[in-house]
Amino acid sequence: MQTPEALKQFWIPELDNIQHFLGGMSGNALVGMGVLVALTTYWLASRHRAVKQRVDFSRQSVELPGGEGIRRSVLVENDQLITHYYDDARTFYELFLRGLRESNNGPCLGSRKLNHPYEWQSYQEVADRAKHIGSALLNKGHSHTGDKFIGIFSLNRPEWTISELACYTYSLVAVPLYDTLGREAIGYIIDKETLARSRSLSTVRSVPATISTLICDLPEKAWMVLDCINGKGKSVKRIVIMGPFQSELVERAEECDIEIISFEDFEALGQDTVMEPVPPAPEDLALVCFTSGTTGKPKGAMLTHGNIIANTAAFLKLTEKDCMLCVHDIHISYLPLAHMLERVIHGVVLVHGGRVGFFQGDIRLLMDDLQTLKPTVFPMVPRLLNRMCDKVSPRRSGAFVWIFGLVRGCPES
C-alpha cells in the first residue's frame, strides 16, 4: 500500500498538462507526432558525425635516430613505411586496370558543356584511347628505353588523364607544364637535361630529358611554346592540340620544323597501329614535376610509380576507417593536375572504380558544375573556401583557415 505513495514523490506536475494536451488530440495527429519522433530518433542515430582526429596536430611526426632531421609519420607501424595498399595496384597502370575491374567497366571520365549534363566515357573506352595515343607516340619514335618524356600542357580535362595513361601504358614519362611557369621557364624545361634511374635503381645517370612531343589543350599554348622555342634547333618536333586551331599556327610551326597535329588525328594514327602495352615496374620513372622556379631555374622532381602509389596508399590508410572510397564515389576535378594533390585524389578514386568529372575549365562556373555533378569527393583550397564563404555570408569573410578539406558522403548503391 505504500508503493503508490512512494511513486507520488517522483510525479512531475507538468505531466498532467501534457496528458491533458495529448488527450485532446485526434488519432491522426498522434500518429503524425509518433512518426516525427521516430524520424528524429533515426536521424540522430544515423547522421554523419565529424571525422575523428587520427593524430595530434602538434605532433604529427617523429624524428628518426641519427640526428639528420629525417622524420616519419606517427601513424607508421613498426617503422615499416607503406609502399602500396592493394597487391594488384603497384603502378599507376595497374591502379587503373584495377579500377576497370572494380567498376565492371563502369563510367570513368566525364565532362560537360555549358547548360548540358555530364557525358561519360567508360573505363574500357579510356583504356582503349590511352592505347591509341600511346601507340601513336611509339609510332613517332618514343620508347621506354629512349625518347620517353612527353609534355602535357593543359587544364584538367579527360584528354589530360588519357594522355597520362598513354604514357604509363607504354612506360613513358609524363612531364606536366602549367601557365604560371612563364615562357622562360617553359623553354628551359623543354630542353632540360635531368637524371634518370635505371630499371634496377642501381645506377643514376644523366640523360637528355628533352621533350619532343608536347600535348596542349588550346592553340594559345602552342603559340606560347613556339615563342619559347623561337626558331629551329630545339627539341620539340610536334605539338598535339586537343582543340581546333587555325592554319596560321601550322604555318608558324613549319618555320620551326615543328608538326602540328590534332588530338583526334593523333589518336586515329595510333588506332591504325595499336602496339602491345609495355607495363612499367614500380621503380620506373612515372613523371617529372617541375617547381615554379621562384628561387632560380625550375627544378624537376622525379617520381617513380612506386612513389605515386605509396602516396596514394598513405591517403587510403589515413582515411580507411572514416571515409573509405568506393565504386559509387564521384570526384570533381578542378585543382591543377600538374600538382600532386589532384593526381593522388585521381588515384584513390580510380583504384576503386569511381568516377572523375571535370569542371568546364572556368572556376567561375564551378558551382554550376558541382550542382550538376553532385560529387562525393571535393578537395578544397583556402582561397576557394573563402570565396564560397563570402557568397554564403559576406559578413563571415575569412572564416575558413584550412590547408585543404575533403568533403565526402558515400551515396547509396
Side-chain angles (χ1 to χ4, degrees):
M1 296 297 294
Q2 295 179 353
T3 301
E5 295 297 330
L7 291 176
K8 287 182 179 180
Q9 299 178 18
F10 300 100
W11 182 254
I12 302 174
E14 286 77 5
L15 290 178
D16 290 331
N17 296 331
I18 296 175
Q19 185 178 12
H20 178 73
F21 172 74
L22 294 176
M25 296 180 66
S26 65
N28 289 338
L30 289 173
V31 171
M33 181 175 290
V35 171
L36 178 61
V37 171
L39 290 174
T40 302
T41 303
Y42 173 78
W43 177 79
L44 289 172
S46 61
R47 73 187 190 280
H48 286 289
R49 291 174 172 80
V51 176
K52 293 183 179 180
Q53 186 173 310
R54 295 287 304 277
V55 298
D56 180 359
F57 286 162
S58 63
R59 187 179 177 274
Q60 300 182 50
S61 64
V62 294
E63 186 173 356
L64 297 180
E68 298 179 359
I70 302 174
R71 307 182 69 86
R72 67 157 176 80
S73 169
V74 296
L75 296 176
V76 174
E77 299 176 357
N78 302 320
D79 287 335
Q80 294 295 317
L81 297 178
I82 188 170
T83 59
H84 61 280
Y85 196 87
Y86 296 109
D87 289 336
D88 57 349
R90 300 197 182 200
T91 67
F92 210 96
Y93 175 68
E94 292 178 349
L95 178 151
F96 183 80
L97 293 182
R98 185 182 189 279
L100 191 156
R101 295 191 297 271
E102 289 292 313
S103 70
N104 194 25
N105 192 27
C108 179
L109 304 180
S111 60
R112 67 185 292 248
K113 297 179 180 179
L114 185 62
N115 299 324
H116 284 75
Y118 271 85
E119 297 180 358
W120 295 93
Q121 301 176 53
S122 71
Y123 270 81
Q124 190 60 59
E125 287 176 314
V126 172
D128 290 342
R129 295 189 68 189
K131 273 189 180 181
H132 299 159
I133 294 297
S135 296
L137 291 170
L138 267 58
N139 183 276
K140 291 295 184 178
H142 292 281
S143 73
H144 68 285
T145 58
D147 186 1
K148 65 172 69 175
F149 297 94
I150 309 298
I152 304 177
F153 191 7
S154 169
L155 289 177
N156 299 21
R157 54 188 291 173
E159 291 86 351
W160 205 113
T161 300
I162 290 170
S163 299
E164 181 186 25
L165 287 171
C167 293
Y168 299 157
T169 302
Y170 295 95
S171 294
L172 303 178
V173 180
V175 183
L177 303 176
Y178 46 98
D179 290 321
T180 54
L181 282 169
R183 283 177 167 80
E184 182 179 354
I186 289 175
Y188 171 80
I189 292 170
I190 287 174
D191 285 301
K192 170 69 176 170
E193 283 201 357
T194 189
L195 296 176
R197 298 179 184 271
S198 68
R199 179 175 284 265
S200 64
L201 281 182
S202 59
T203 59
V204 179
R205 55 193 175 87
S206 178
V207 298
T210 54
I211 298 172
S212 60
T213 296
L214 188 62
I215 302 175
C216 300
D217 57 346
L218 300 173
E220 290 81 3
K221 291 177 181 174
W223 279 106
M224 180 187 295
V225 171
L226 293 176
D227 290 341
C228 294
I229 294 171
N230 193 26
K232 301 181 181 180
K234 297 293 183 178
S235 64
V236 176
K237 303 301 180 186
R238 69 197 59 83
I239 300 176
V240 181
I241 303 179
M242 302 173 190
F245 52 87
Q246 303 296 324
S247 58
E248 290 81 3
L249 177 61
V250 178
E251 295 170 0
R252 174 71 176 87
E254 288 177 349
E255 296 175 1
C256 302
D257 287 340
I258 293 176
E259 175 189 14
I260 299 291
I261 183 171
S262 70
F263 194 88
E264 182 180 0
D265 290 342
F266 200 66
E267 186 176 351
L269 171 64
Q271 190 172 4
D272 292 337
T273 57
V274 177
M275 309 283 191
E276 283 298 314
V278 183
E283 60 269 20
D284 284 342
L285 193 62
L287 57 98
V288 180
C289 285
F290 278 89
T291 65
S292 58
T294 53
T295 57
K297 297 292 186 181
K299 301 167 185 65
M302 298 181 297
L303 300 176
T304 66
H305 283 271
N307 294 147
I308 301 173
I309 295 302
N311 201 347
T312 303
F315 185 99
L316 293 174
K317 192 68 176 177
L318 186 64
T319 59
E320 63 182 355
K321 293 183 179 179
D322 301 306
C323 55
M324 191 64 169
L325 302 187
C326 61
V327 70
H328 305 293
D329 277 298
I330 306 172
H331 166 53
I332 176 75
S333 180
Y334 72 99
L335 294 177
L337 273 167
H339 300 158
M340 283 310 299
L341 172 61
E342 184 66 16
R343 307 283 277 287
V344 168
I345 296 174
H346 271 227
V348 299
V349 172
L350 294 176
V351 76
H352 295 105
R355 285 184 274 176
V356 176
F358 293 87
F359 80 135
Q360 296 177 68
D362 187 343
I363 197 66
R364 294 170 297 182
L365 301 176
L366 181 61
M367 294 305 296
D368 182 55
D369 292 331
L370 289 170
Q371 292 173 1
T372 303
L373 183 63
K374 296 178 174 58
T376 61
V377 180
F378 183 25
M380 300 288 283
V381 294
R383 179 182 297 180
L384 183 61
L385 281 168
N386 286 331
R387 185 180 300 175
M388 294 176 69
C389 182
D390 292 344
K391 285 184 176 294
V392 174
S393 177
R395 289 179 294 181
R396 294 175 59 190
S397 177
F400 295 102
V401 187
W402 291 21
I403 296 178
F404 74 90
L406 188 64
V407 180
R408 179 189 180 272
C410 192
E412 297 293 333
S413 58

